[in-house]
Amino acid sequence: QSVVTQPPSASGTPGQRVTISCSGGTSNIGSSSVHWYQQFPGTAPKLLIYSNDQRPSGVPDRFSGSKSGTSASLAISGLQSEDEADYYCATWDDSLNGWVFGGGTKLTVL
Amino acid sequence: EVQLVESGGGLVQPGGSLRLSCAASGFTFSHYDMHWVRQAPGKGLEWVSAIGTSGDTYYSGSVKGRFAISRDTAKDSLYLQMDSLRADDTAVYYCARENWGSSYYFDYWGQGALVTVSS
């Protein structure tokens, strides 16, 4: 069980806006930045959002991130079929003195 | 272009050892902290270990005392020596580069190396 929790699944129809939550505590999200990764089956994770709300070059602005207190969220607007993937949040944990990942959310585009 | 290429994965018996390598290119390897992250079949991501630019090392509780991370800046390579392997170490192992801006994060990942621990 990860100390940072995500819903195991999320879904939406093309064009919709979906959000994926990432909930933690004061030793992790509450005191460190949150980053998001996108992973397609059989491939390596790809950086999607860093430092809570920053998009790397090449990531569409349909993807956005936010953080408040001990929770963070990833929002995807204008959902597309190619967004169907697994999404992970990650942050540093001061108590564990290591990095922690959320359990991952499988996004299905209906 | 930043590239990270893992090698050394394979099948090993419980209690055995294996050494993973990660060849880096396209950036100044010595300037970056590097990490290993693993993913068991059908499961999520788990941070394993990190090494700083000065050689300082960090481990998750699940591998501390059994795994050893190292780096060779002359060869632009990262390593993970895995001893006393157990069935629950079976996973794809990714090397990842740590970058920094307003915070630290993993910006590039290798394609992964599969380690299977089974008799």
Side-chain angles (χ1 to χ4, degrees):
Chain A
Q1 287 289 60
S2 177
V3 296
V4 173
T5 58
Q6 299 178 232
S9 63
S11 63
T13 57
Q16 265 191 334
R17 181 178 186 269
V18 297
T19 61
I20 296 172
S21 63
C22 177
S23 178
T26 54
S27 65
N28 42 70
I29 295 177
S31 54
S32 298
S33 291
V34 176
H35 319 293
W36 292 90
Y37 298 89
Q38 179 188 55
Q39 186 181 35
F40 296 104
T43 69
K46 170 194 165 187
L47 180 65
L48 196 64
I49 297 287
Y50 68 96
S51 301
N52 304 322
D53 57 8
Q54 301 299 301
R55 275 188 314 276
S57 172
V59 173
D61 59 7
R62 302 186 295 105
F63 294 90
S64 62
S66 64
K67 179 188 136 176
S68 177
T70 58
S71 294
S73 290
L74 172 71
I76 309 171
S77 59
L79 195 63
Q80 299 180 4
S81 58
E82 55 260 41
D83 298 333
E84 190 163 286
D86 294 325
Y87 294 85
Y88 294 90
C89 60
T91 188
W92 175 263
D93 189 291
D94 289 330
S95 296
L96 297 174
N97 201 31
W99 285 87
V100 291
F101 289 89
T105 299
K106 182 176 182 59
L107 175 63
T108 301
V109 180
L110 303 170
Chain B
E1 178 195 5
V2 173
Q3 281 200 313
L4 298 169
V5 180
E6 299 94 338
S7 61
L11 174 64
V12 61
Q13 292 189 335
S17 299
L18 207 59
R19 188 196 197 205
L20 300 181
S21 300
C22 171
S25 61
F27 65 101
T28 305
F29 179 70
S30 61
H31 290 182
Y32 291 83
D33 293 358
M34 298 294 296
H35 296 252
W36 288 98
V37 176
R38 69 184 180 183
Q39 186 171 35
K43 302 297 185 182
L45 301 169
E46 180 190 13
W47 175 76
V48 172
S49 181
I51 186 165
T53 56
S54 301
D56 44 318
T57 59
Y58 308 86
Y59 300 94
S60 69
S62 60
V63 307
K64 196 168 188 177
R66 300 187 300 122
F67 290 11
I69 190 172
S70 61
R71 64 192 301 165
D72 185 335
T73 54
K75 295 183 178 180
D76 287 348
S77 291
L78 174 73
Y79 305 101
L80 186 68
Q81 176 66 42
M82 303 183 292
D83 298 324
S84 304
L85 283 161
R86 311 184 304 221
D88 61 358
D89 293 318
T90 294
V92 174
Y93 286 73
Y94 297 101
C95 64
R97 186 181 83 165
E98 180 182 300
N99 206 345
W100 65 92
S102 56
S103 64
Y104 298 92
Y105 52 93
F106 309 138
D107 62 347
Y108 285 95
W109 300 60
Q111 86 288 349
L114 176 61
V115 173
T116 303
V117 185
S118 175
S119 54

